[in-house]
Amino acid sequence: MLGGMQDWELRIPRLIDHAAREHGRQEIVTHWADGTETRTNWAGIHRDARKLSQALEDMGLKRGDRVATLAMNHSRHLVAWYGAIGMGGVIHTINPRLFDEQLVYIANHAEDKVLFYDKLFQPIVDRLKPQWTTIEHYICFDDGQFEELIGRYDGDYQWAEGPEREPCMLCYTSGTTGNPKGVLYEHRSSVIHAMAEIAPACFDLSPLSVALPIVPMFHAAAWGLPFAGAMAGIKFVYSQVNDPVVLCRLMNEHKVTHSAGVPTVWLSMFQHMDATGAKPEHLRLVTIGGSAAPRAMIERLMKMGIRVGHAWGMTETSPIGTMGSPPANWNELSFNEQVDLVAKQGRVPFGVELRVVDDEGEVQPRDGRSSGRLQIRGPWVIRRYFQDEKGDCAGEGNWFDTGDVAVIHPCGTMQITDRSKDVIKSGGEWISSVDLENAAVGCAGVAEAAAIGIRHPKWDERPLLLVVRKEGSEVSAEDVRAHLAAHVAKWWLPDEILFVDSLPHTATGKLLKTALREQYRDYQLATA
Amino acid sequence: MLGGMQDWELRIPRLIDHAAREHGRQEIVTHWADGTETRTNWAGIHRDARKLSQALEDMGLKRGDRVATLAMNHSRHLVAWYGAIGMGGVIHTINPRLFDEQLVYIANHAEDKVLFYDKLFQPIVDRLKPQWTTIEHYICFDDGQFEELIGRYDGDYQWAEGPEREPCMLCYTSGTTGNPKGVLYEHRSSVIHAMAEIAPACFDLSPLSVALPIVPMFHAAAWGLPFAGAMAGIKFVYSQVNDPVVLCRLMNEHKVTHSAGVPTVWLSMFQHMDATGAKPEHLRLVTIGGSAAPRAMIERLMKMGIRVGHAWGMTETSPIGTMGSPPANWNELSFNEQVDLVAKQGRVPFGVELRVVDDEGEVQPRDGRSSGRLQIRGPWVIRRYFQDEKGDCAGEGNWFDTGDVAVIHPCGTMQITDRSKDVIKSGGEWISSVDLENAAVGCAGVAEAAAIGIRHPKWDERPLLLVVRKEGSEVSAEDVRAHLAAHVAKWWLPDEILFVDSLPHTATGKLLKTALREQYRDYQLATA
């Protein structure tokens, strides 16, 4: 027996329809890299997105085709999201910070048909165009090119309809080992994720909210904000540049209440505040994710009267897995207890389930002590990577292994205890220690190498590379660095390279990273 | 092409699983009619619901079978909801205030198999048992009967699984004409509705919320609160009685932040406050629905620092159609402008769409002036009444005609002006009977008033106003007319004003206009 309610597919275009119809005059402000500022609103985004849908259809794009972007945060990027999805396509946001080999792999693997890019990334486009085999159209967001394109159309367009399980967006993980892997979000998963995000215990979004998301739109679906913002009818303030002087000014000028970003952005904001005495006056909720927020950062923001929400998630989880928010007993806690709680990774919204398992797969109690591999499942969690013949990546019961190590407290609060073993988290981005090591052993004279993350005040962690020379070799740190520079992104280059006689191994011959991390725990990088 | 995310049915039992797992210690307090108080929590509701599922299966209930309740608000009623739904059944909340004939019709039409009832309603059960043809089991919630029943089971139970479009709940409209009609809610529609409800611009629910819903659990799915509360992990305080002395004491004792109910409950609360000087100290959001809240009520609550959310909806809409919440420019409005806005019926959450059409079905502009029949569609709006052979009640494009007359303002705020059956059509223009009545009761000496349209040879219809005097009052027709003249357009003034001893009402306390129209069908206006 079925119920008596209406058929209503959970489709992304309904979000922009709703925003335009019910909150059409809420502004979308953009501060561009050239210092100019433009203003549109949800009605304008809606109109431009329909024009873009027409343009994409005219280019010959079909349902399911991928439309790539290589861009920072701005209103045209937002139009590209809704325009590409609106004509039945899949928006594919590419992280411009990846190194060339990955950028080539990703666009070719995704079979992107169109690339929209910021002028800022013209050098990447010029360099990689010959290797991108599927992209047929290149359109720059700047210099009037984008406006010229959509200006040819009238916006008289009906969104493509279809089942809610169709894909709407593709994001690749930067991948610690092997090639990057694509996560193919669905209309349904993204709409449910957005509904969870606007709740008070998550991003707390309403028409009273003015959000300046510092998290880039190419990073894990921009934490879902372009969708959640439309759903809640918020005002957006975007900046194409991440200069704290600009950000702080924008925050005060537009009475920004919500911001979201990795910890490093707040470090530079604090420096700006200390140097100038300026501060964002209207912020009410700062969401921090990407890597663990330092306690001092949380304290400082909280003392400014700002709620700090520590979020945890990954590209594979759309990305919200957990978000910190005041529990029922919040007002009975001392300030220090509140900070302790906020410094953890928060709780799941309805939809997400977490568990921690030991190496034998045994589910661990929620006692705040028993740590293990963190697993997750839910309506916006990955089942299978894009075009992955290996099949489902989620295991039995749909439990997806996050690669993180965590404990769960009795109150449901999750705490990452061991940032995943091999990964070095620098400024919210992941550096693969395995990739660094693989590149290093490709250098003549290097016998073995181990990369570990060393604590760094600004970037959280920076890589330290430990190298064992081949017998008789006199390879230098400069040699290794020069070799690495040709193989990895510049910001992946180790801050220091040390030569050692040997490295510790497990019984099966794997590098024993835990021992290395213990040994170099208090190591001071000269760059710190 | 389908996306890569997990299969995850939107099913109601996931709500109670989530509440028990993540917010298990949040209390569910009940003040019983006998003055005693019990406390359980979400973990306890979860355990008892599983026991009840076992009990219902043992009684021979099958998937889709209806389980009825005739009860006020309390924790056992909440257990009945989740227990009946959890075993694949359909919870059917019956409004005990209906007339016997309706109560008989509803239970038989629903083919209820089991009835759980409050001792308070034992007389109804004794009286109607012979006429209820399908109910096989009668269980009283009080006197230990319910506890005895579930006490026989261990709660080791796996919820019934199935498609999300399966039904989970049945509510009948009280229906002013003809037989009551059943609305069959689905797991999916109810979960999406709950997700919309917890948002800041709707009920704003989080673990910090302590809700004392005065709206009864048998009224339009209790406005969805039993589902939304579990989703957000709130604390519930229930009262089996609606005495303002008890309610006010409970609100202060448990620091209640949220309440919801029809306007009349606030009138009695105000009387209690005026008489004793007591007041609810912690209320933050009061949701008012069911009928229009008087402006003075809104002002008084707002002056207490409480956000007032005027909600509009109906059984057919799960029930949230609109909810008032502060718009982006809230802080720029004067207090009076804020009250003006709050007195309207609010805006749609994401999911719901509204439109206003004239008699020819032409969609009217959102100009705050063009009134017409209000139509609605969305994922939690009815498509077809339960076992209705007439087919879908939603028209083309799924637009469901609400029977209300409304205008939509440019900002998206909806304002009910009348019921379409009650609107008085004079010379092609519409006169709001509700506005006339509201203006009339503002006249000193008027206790109640009803305006109905009387056939008129020239104007089609002209208003007749029926007035009940306050005890001891000698207010005259001239007094009322003079008062009205200061508040409504001249052509709205009733052609005649008659004084009557009383006016007929429905079981839920609304004016029974059908009876009045019948009674005055052949009335001859002197102006005719």
Side-chain angles (χ1 to χ4, degrees), chain A residues 4 6 8 164 188 383 398, chain B residues 4 6 8 164 188 383:
Chain A
Q6 301 191 350
W8 200 91
E164 62 189 27
R188 174 182 163 108
R383 177 176 50 83
N398 268 344
Chain B
Q6 300 191 351
W8 199 92
E164 62 189 26
R188 173 184 164 107
R383 176 176 50 84

Side-chain angles (χ1 to χ4, degrees), chain B residues 16-88:
Chain B
I16 188 69
D17 283 346
H18 171 80
R21 192 177 60 237
E22 309 297 342
H23 308 280
R25 293 181 195 172
Q26 283 278 61
E27 281 184 326
I28 315 291
V29 179
T30 303
H31 175 94
W32 299 90
D34 64 5
T36 59
E37 190 175 295
T38 57
R39 294 181 185 217
T40 177
N41 56 28
W42 284 113
I45 301 290
H46 187 240
R47 183 196 59 235
D48 289 351
R50 282 173 293 151
K51 291 180 177 184
L52 183 62
S53 288
Q54 292 176 302
L56 292 168
E57 281 195 351
D58 256 16
M59 290 179 195
L61 266 80
K62 303 288 179 220
R63 166 172 242 131
D65 279 350
R66 271 75 71 199
V67 174
T69 63
L70 205 57
M72 301 299 288
N73 293 358
H74 50 71
S75 58
R76 291 176 202 141
H77 201 169
L78 192 62
V79 168
W81 281 43
Y82 283 107
I85 296 171
M87 56 76 59

Side-chain angles (χ1 to χ4, degrees), chain A residues 299-359:
Chain A
E299 277 190 28
R300 180 160 183 179
L301 289 167
M302 283 174 67
K303 281 181 180 156
M304 288 166 69
I306 297 168
R307 177 187 147 202
V308 178
H310 206 316
W312 169 87
M314 46 205 305
T315 304
E316 286 89 341
T317 63
S318 296
I320 296 298
T322 57
M323 171 79 176
S325 77
N329 67 342
W330 180 252
N331 292 321
E332 295 151 28
L333 301 178
S334 69
F335 182 74
N336 270 341
E337 288 168 331
Q338 290 180 340
V339 175
D340 282 347
L341 192 69
V342 172
K344 297 184 177 72
Q345 277 65 45
R347 300 204 277 186
V348 294
F350 170 74
V352 168
E353 244 181 290
L354 295 178
R355 70 177 189 184
V356 155
V357 298
D358 67 12
D359 279 347

Side-chain angles (χ1 to χ4, degrees), chain B residues 394-405:
Chain B
E396 201 187 319
N398 269 342
W399 289 107
F400 173 77
D401 200 292
T402 64
D404 276 322
V405 175

Side-chain angles (χ1 to χ4, degrees), chain A residues 1-11 14-15 18 21-23 25-26 64-66 90 163-167 183-186 188-189 191-192 195-196 198-201 204-208 231 316-318 325-331 347-354 366 376-384 386 394 398-400 410-412, chain B residues 1-11 14-15 18 21-23 25-26 64-66 90 163-167 183-186 188-189 191-192 195-196 198-201 204-208 231 316-318 325-331 347-354 366 376-384 386 394 398-400 410-412:
Chain A
M1 182 168 63
L2 294 186
M5 310 311 278
Q6 301 191 350
D7 300 329
W8 200 91
E9 299 286 320
L10 297 162
R11 296 272 299 184
R14 293 190 188 277
L15 293 170
H18 170 81
R21 191 178 60 238
E22 309 297 340
H23 309 279
R25 293 181 195 170
Q26 283 277 64
D65 279 350
R66 270 73 72 198
V90 174
E164 62 189 27
R165 296 294 298 267
E166 274 191 341
V183 183
L184 195 61
Y185 304 122
E186 301 168 357
R188 174 182 163 108
S189 67
V191 169
I192 297 176
M195 292 194 87
I198 70 174
D204 195 24
L205 297 173
S206 81
L208 293 178
M231 178 178 280
E316 286 89 341
T317 63
S318 296
S325 77
N329 67 342
W330 180 252
N331 292 321
R347 300 204 277 186
V348 294
F350 170 74
V352 168
E353 244 181 290
L354 295 178
R366 297 181 161 220
I376 186 169
R377 65 179 179 186
W380 56 80
V381 175
I382 192 168
R383 177 176 50 83
R384 181 188 291 221
F386 179 56
N398 268 344
W399 289 108
F400 172 76
C411 65
Chain B
M1 181 169 61
L2 293 186
M5 311 311 277
Q6 300 191 351
D7 300 330
W8 199 92
E9 299 286 318
L10 298 161
R11 296 274 297 184
R14 293 190 188 276
L15 293 170
H18 171 80
R21 192 177 60 237
E22 309 297 342
H23 308 280
R25 293 181 195 172
Q26 283 278 61
D65 279 350
R66 271 75 71 199
V90 174
E164 62 189 26
R165 296 294 298 266
E166 275 192 341
V183 183
L184 195 61
Y185 304 123
E186 300 168 357
R188 173 184 164 107
S189 66
V191 169
I192 297 176
M195 292 194 88
I198 70 174
D204 195 24
L205 297 173
S206 79
L208 292 178
M231 179 178 280
E316 287 88 340
T317 64
S318 295
S325 77
N329 66 343
W330 180 252
N331 293 321
R347 300 203 277 186
V348 294
F350 171 74
V352 169
E353 243 181 292
L354 295 178
R366 297 183 159 217
I376 186 170
R377 65 180 178 185
W380 57 80
V381 174
I382 192 168
R383 176 176 50 84
R384 180 188 292 221
F386 179 55
N398 269 342
W399 289 107
F400 173 77
C411 65

